[in-house]
């Protein structure tokens, strides 16, 4: 038992140290988990052979992830995108498998082995790609949606792949599961059945998931909810997912596919939000554990002895898949930055590659020594995936933005006004409407053409152009303007505009939109005359309503709200000075914390100052809002 505690502590400690560091340096949590696995496995040897066993357990995180993905998916929307699912996803799997088969056959492998290798490298990492897209907020983009469609088709395609592999067994090859550990439970409902019997059992299992999820889950959850024990609801959610995964496994189907189908069925249930809240923590922890085991499972002995072959195969896999994906993206109209997101995001091999390798070794299709090397190639390609997303973020996306701006020339600005508004998105549009309603002339600028069209629809004169370009501001009449409102949703560009205008046009008053407190301090240091956080005033308003809702008199709630604002303003200079010292590298974080404590004490004092209690009959009685 002590050994288990020590191993668990090592895995968790590695994650706690590596993941926050990776996030701090902008590398993403997935790369942090992978690096943690490498450090505690091949580098230091803190974990050993148990990493293989833990990896199979941790793969359940992928099952949970697809269950949650299914809950977010609307079947009508899935059918509406059948072109991407079948066309884009189907062509990607077929073309990549064909190229992999051809290369393997050219290198002298049996066609059965070559075809299996083609299957393995046709798959991408559902776990890494969906996790990274979600972290970066790219899931809803065109590239993200098409990547999801391909990943979904790949997960479905695993089913016929698993069915074909046993039919391609090589008589002269010995099965050896030692190189790539597999499932040795031996429990199967379809073993020894004829083809028609196997098909009936599979159809029955899928029907049981769909029908049971639709008709039986609601009475079950109502029964559990009646107990008013949250932990029992969590246990029920886990029981549901584990049971579906087990059912799919004993009929030789993908547990992830079964969980996905169950998620789709339960997506319209009234319990969907509670289910998500119960499953999410387990999914995140198991996925992190899975990525750690991938890093820990890298065999450095094989890597050192055959490094040239391994790295050549990794680069070949990435290059071939990138080429195929890019061609398909162009063919299906996924262009620009979305095309590159789609291409780079799916260029790796995937976690189901380990499953197919295990299955192919057990069924005498792929030799154990080749499987050992291919397992290393799969792991390293997954290891490089976060770096491909970094290439997209820091190279591809900025280049595309610049080229997009270059393709369309800035509009000719044929009028000037005392107020210039830079940025007319959801924040800047409100400013423009308020100014126009009071007959104040403005010149509105934005580098997103869609935003310009939106303003023109409501008869607000606006112009296309990047306000961070000094020439455009001069054309817009910044020299004669009295006020510049910077409402751009880009931290660096906002600071750059403020610095430029204050340097060359110091008489212009600048109002700037800040993302958070730190960004507000940056803008203040750059010379902005007034800085407003984009969420500060709306949070104050909602906080005032919250005070009223719990029984505080509305006048008292308003007074407390503005006492809060006055208190923050009174200590703003102190906090700003402390922030500057931290930015300069001086370790003043204790002083920063002390200032916040001082601010809170002054706030508590201000809350009880100069207040005359209302008469009892004037105090509203709080009642819970209607559901």
């Amino acid at each position: 038992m002590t050994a288990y505690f020590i191993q668990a502590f090592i895995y968790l400690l590695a994650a706690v140290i590596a993941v926050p560091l990776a996030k701090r340096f902008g590398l993403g949590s997935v790369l942090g988990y992978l690096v943690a696995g490498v450090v505690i496995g091949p580098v230091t040897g803190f974990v050993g052979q148990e990493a293989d066993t833990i990896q199979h357990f941790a793969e359940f995180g992928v099952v949970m992830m697809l269950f949650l993905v299914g809950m977010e998916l609307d079947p009508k929307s899935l059918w509406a995108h059948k072109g991407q699912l079948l066309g884009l996803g189907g062509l990607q799997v077929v073309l990549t498998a064909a190229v992999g088969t051809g290369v393997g056959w050219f290198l002298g492998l049996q066609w059965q082995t070559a075809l299996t290798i083609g299957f393995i490298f046709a798959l991408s990492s559902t776990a890494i790609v969906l996790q990274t897209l979600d972290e970066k907020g790219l899931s809803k983009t065109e590239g993200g949606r098409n990547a999801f469609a391909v990943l979904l088709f790949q997960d479905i395609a695993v089913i016929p792949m698993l069915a074909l592999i046993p039919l391609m067994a090589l008589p002269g090859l010995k099965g050896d599961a030692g190189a790539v550990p597999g499932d040795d439970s031996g429990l199967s409902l379809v073993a020894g059945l004829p083809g028609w019997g196997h098909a009936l059992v599979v159809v029955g299992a899928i029907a049981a998931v769909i029908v049971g999820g639709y008709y039986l889950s609601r009475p079950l959850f109502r029964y559990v909810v009646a107990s008013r024990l949250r932990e029992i609801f969590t246990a029920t959610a886990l029981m549901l997912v584990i049971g579906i995964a087990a059912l799919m496994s004993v009929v030789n189907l993908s547990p992830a596919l079964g969980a996905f189908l169950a998620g789709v069925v339960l997506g319209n249930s009234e319990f969907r939000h509670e289910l998500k809240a119960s499953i999410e923590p387990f999914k995140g922890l198991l996925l992190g554990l899975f990525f750690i085991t991938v890093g820990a499972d890298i065999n450095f002995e094989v890597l050192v002895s055959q490094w040239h072959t391994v790295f050549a195969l990794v680069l070949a896999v990435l290059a071939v898949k990138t080429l195929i994906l890019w061609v398909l993206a162009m063919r299906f109209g996924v262009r620009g930055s979305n095309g590159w997101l789609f291409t780079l995001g799916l260029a790796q091999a995937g976690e189901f590659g380990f499953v197919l390798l295990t299955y192919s070794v057990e069924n005498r299709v792929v030799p154990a020594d080749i499987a050992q090397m291919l397992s290393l190639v799969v792991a390293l390609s997954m290891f490089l995936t976060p770096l491909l997303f970094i290439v997209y973020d820091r190279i591809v996306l900025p280049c595309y933005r610049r080229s997009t701006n270059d393709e369309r020339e800035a509009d000719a600005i044929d009028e000037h006004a005392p107020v210039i508004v830079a940025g007319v998105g959801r924040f800047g549009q409100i400013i423009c409407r308020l100014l126009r309603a009071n007959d104040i002339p403005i010149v509105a600028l934005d580098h997103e053409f869609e935003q310009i069209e939106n303003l023109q629809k409501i008869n607000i004169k606006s112009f296309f152009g990047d306000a961070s370009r000094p020439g455009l501001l001069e054309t817009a009449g910044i020299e004669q303007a009295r006020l510049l409102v910077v409402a751009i949703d880009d931290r660096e560009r906002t600071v750059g505009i403020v610095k430029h205008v204050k340097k060359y046009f110091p008489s212009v008053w600048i109002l700037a939109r800040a993302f958070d407190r730190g960004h507000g301090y940056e803008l203040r240091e750059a010379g902005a005359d007034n800085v407003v956080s984009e969420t500060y005033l709306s949070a104050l308003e909602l906080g005032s309503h919250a005070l009223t809702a719990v029984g505080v008199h509305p006048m008292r709630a308003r007074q407390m709200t503005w006492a809060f604002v006055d208190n923050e303003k009174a200590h703003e200079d102190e906090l700003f000075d402390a922030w500057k010292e931290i930015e300069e590298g001086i370790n003043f974080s204790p002083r920063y914390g002390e200032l916040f404590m001082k601010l809170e004490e002054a706030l508590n004092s201000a809350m009880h100052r100069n207040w005359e209690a209302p008469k009892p009959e004037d105090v509203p009685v709080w009642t819970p809002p209607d559901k």
Side-chain angles (χ1 to χ4, degrees), residues 456-467:
Q456 290 175 348
K457 289 176 182 177
I458 56 177
N459 298 320
I460 295 180
K461 189 69 173 178
S462 52
F463 303 91
F464 174 84
D466 186 355

Side-chain angles (χ1 to χ4, degrees), residues 319-375:
V320 170
K321 293 193 73 171
T322 297
L323 179 61
I324 292 173
L325 289 164
W326 185 81
V327 171
L328 290 175
M330 297 301 102
R331 172 65 180 80
F332 282 82
V334 187
R335 304 182 185 278
S337 61
N338 285 303
W340 282 109
L341 174 63
F342 170 80
T343 299
L344 295 175
L346 299 177
Q348 76 294 121
E351 55 276 351
F352 282 120
F354 297 116
V355 177
L356 293 183
L357 277 171
T358 299
Y359 202 56
S360 61
V361 171
E362 292 173 348
N363 287 277
R364 304 189 307 278
V365 179
V366 176
D369 56 340
I370 293 178
Q372 184 77 273
M373 180 179 294
L374 293 180
S375 178

